[in-house]
Amino acid sequence: MKESTLLNEAQLSILRLLGSMKTVEEVNELRQVICDYYARKVDEEVDCLWAEGKWDNEKNEAVLKDSSYQ
């Protein structure tokens, strides 16, 4: 028997929001907003790592050369 998963309040909130959308375009627009949000969070974290000396050009180059990121 498959175990059920309870949704947290944030997940339920997103589902309610999606339920009010009428078109695929609206859903795609929300998806882009969420992607932009997380991209901004990654940028902020990398900026912090850079400021703390935990990230540098060498690590940038290694990520760009790593085939799993392409």
Side-chain angles (χ1 to χ4, degrees):
M1 182 183 252
K2 196 172 191 179
E3 188 177 319
S4 64
T5 302
L6 296 177
L7 300 177
N8 64 39
E9 189 54 41
Q11 293 165 326
L12 291 170
S13 178
I14 294 294
L15 286 175
R16 284 192 286 274
L17 180 61
L18 288 170
S20 70
M21 297 185 153
K22 308 251 186 279
T23 66
V24 172
E25 289 80 16
E26 287 178 314
V27 174
N28 289 338
E29 193 172 323
L30 178 60
R31 180 182 294 122
Q32 186 61 54
V33 168
I34 292 170
C35 288
D36 292 346
Y37 169 82
Y38 281 108
R40 198 169 53 252
K41 290 295 191 181
V42 168
D43 284 344
E44 290 169 4
E45 185 62 28
V46 169
D47 287 346
C48 286
L49 291 172
W50 199 288
E52 295 169 357
K54 298 176 182 175
W55 197 265
D56 56 23
N57 281 331
E58 237 178 78
K59 288 186 182 179
N60 276 344
E61 291 301 318
V63 167
L64 291 173
K65 289 179 183 177
D66 186 337
S67 62
S68 67
Y69 290 100
Q70 296 177 5

